Amino acid sequence: QKFYSVAHNWGAAIVLLTLLVKVLLYPLTAKSMQSMQEMKKLQPKVDELKAKYGGEKEKMNQEVMKLYQEHKVNPLGGCLPLLLQMPVWLALYATLQTSVELYRQPFLWVNDLTAFDPFYILPLAMGVSSFIMQKISPQPADNAQAKMLLYFMPAFFTFIMLKLPAGLTLYIFVNNLLSIAQQYALRKWLAR
């Protein structure tokens, strides 16, 4: 409602909400990306440990965790910003389902932010932006996992978003665009 009082459009208010959440989560996202870059640098040492302890999975996992601790790398650090976004997604979804103010509110070509995009432009744009985001993100060492993340996840989320409220798809799409810009900026900064 605060953003609506500034923008006088619920779609623009969702975009402003997305910007605010992205700014608030920036420190965690930057730390997460730094951690993922460090993990990528450590991959040759992880491969050596896999070769050394091939059959002893428990011992290998202990050694890999020890290596990560020595280099102050958190293998789960990349998930935290995404997990913190989940309550926002759920709250926005609930709001779009129950809020009278948002019912039949237009934004660009969408006539109702509480209904799905009738032309499927937002879900498809969100899927493309998810693919780009995965493509430019540091990839995991496991090639099968990297391919699944690159192709399956964007397609899966696009399929899910086809019939969900356009307001939620708008939030995720704008978040993806901001994440892509953030990735490029952080890459340049970390390359220095």
Side-chain angles (χ1 to χ4, degrees), residues 39-49:
M39 284 178 67
K40 197 172 183 178
K41 288 178 189 174
L42 290 175
Q43 193 54 46
K45 291 182 180 181
V46 171
D47 291 340
E48 287 174 19
L49 290 173

Side-chain angles (χ1 to χ4, degrees), residues 7-37:
H8 304 292
N9 179 285
W10 286 106
I14 290 171
V15 171
L16 292 173
L17 171 69
T18 312
L19 282 167
L20 175 67
V21 171
K22 202 68 178 160
V23 167
L24 292 175
L25 292 179
Y26 175 77
L28 287 174
T29 306
K31 194 161 182 65
S32 162
M33 184 156 178
Q34 210 169 3
S35 181
M36 289 185 340
Q37 293 285 43

Side-chain angles (χ1 to χ4, degrees), residues 56-120:
E56 302 175 61
K57 203 162 183 84
E58 191 174 317
K59 180 69 174 163
M60 183 194 70
N61 288 338
Q62 287 174 345
E63 291 298 318
V64 168
M65 290 311 293
K66 197 163 112 179
L67 178 70
Y68 288 159
Q69 286 173 347
E70 287 171 9
H71 292 274
K72 295 179 176 60
V73 173
N74 183 359
L76 298 176
C79 300
L80 189 58
L82 183 62
L83 288 175
L84 291 174
Q85 291 255 356
M86 290 303 286
V88 177
W89 292 358
L90 295 172
L92 187 56
Y93 178 74
T95 301
L96 289 164
Q97 295 298 312
T98 59
S99 177
V100 176
E101 295 92 350
L102 288 164
Y103 183 65
R104 299 210 180 203
Q105 290 298 311
F107 182 69
L108 301 176
W109 65 90
V110 178
N111 293 325
D112 184 359
L113 287 168
T114 63
F116 66 90
D117 179 348
F119 303 110
Y120 303 110

Side-chain angles (χ1 to χ4, degrees), residues 140-154:
D142 183 10
N143 204 20
Q145 184 184 7
K147 279 188 178 177
M148 188 193 83
L149 286 174
L150 183 61
Y151 297 106
F152 176 74
M153 294 307 283

